[in-house]
Amino acid sequence: MKKRMIALSVLCLGIITVATASELISNKKNNTITQAQPTEIVIEGVGISQKVEATGNETIRIEGTNNKITITGSCNAVKIEGVDNVVTVDDVKSISIEGTGNKVNYKKTSTADGKVITAVAGVNNKITKI
């Protein structure tokens, strides 16, 4: 029943929102480059199959049920809230999951110690290095 309520709620939303920000802000006055605020990409819905190209500064947030997301490139974080989502990512520093039956497969991490930072709440969630 809980899964159906979550799926129905997410289905009603059914919105894919992509919030973007510029990567770098250049200050020519004193020749400095300042890193912009991290970008958040939000994917919400049910049964979405999507490919996202990350450039290193993004947080990718997936909310919903039965989504299949492939993230190419490097990103700061992947955050999942939902049921039965499958995410494959090339390079990620942090993974957090809330829900049931979610799977994240990652190829590598760019953290200083070489270990991805994880936080998992729920049951049957799995994070695997491939």
Side-chain angles (χ1 to χ4, degrees):
M1 180 68 174
K2 203 172 196 179
K3 282 185 181 181
R4 288 183 183 158
M5 291 301 294
I6 291 172
L8 184 58
S9 297
V10 174
L11 181 60
C12 290
L13 292 175
I15 299 169
I16 298 175
T17 305
V18 178
T20 59
S22 60
E23 282 298 311
L24 296 174
I25 299 168
S26 179
N27 181 347
K28 293 184 179 187
K29 186 175 182 180
N30 55 10
N31 293 325
T32 61
I33 296 177
T34 306
Q35 188 71 27
Q37 290 291 73
T39 301
E40 182 173 60
I41 298 172
V42 180
I43 301 166
E44 296 178 299
V46 176
I48 297 170
S49 290
Q50 185 171 342
K51 187 174 184 178
V52 177
E53 292 183 28
T55 59
N57 202 32
E58 297 88 356
T59 294
I60 317 293
R61 187 163 43 108
I62 297 109
E63 297 178 353
T65 303
N66 292 321
N67 298 306
K68 292 183 186 263
I69 309 300
T70 301
I71 303 166
T72 59
S74 178
C75 65
N76 276 333
V78 171
K79 297 181 178 183
I80 300 174
E81 296 176 14
V83 178
D84 297 329
N85 295 289
V86 177
V87 177
T88 303
V89 60
D90 287 341
D91 186 352
V92 62
K93 294 178 184 172
S94 157
I95 301 170
S96 66
I97 302 174
E98 290 183 25
T100 303
N102 297 291
K103 295 179 179 125
V104 178
N105 301 307
Y106 71 97
K107 294 178 182 173
K108 68 177 187 169
T109 182
S110 298
T111 59
D113 65 358
K115 296 179 182 177
V116 70
I117 300 162
T118 62
V120 179
V123 294
N124 296 326
N125 295 305
K126 189 172 183 181
I127 297 172
T128 305
K129 183 172 183 179
I130 55 175

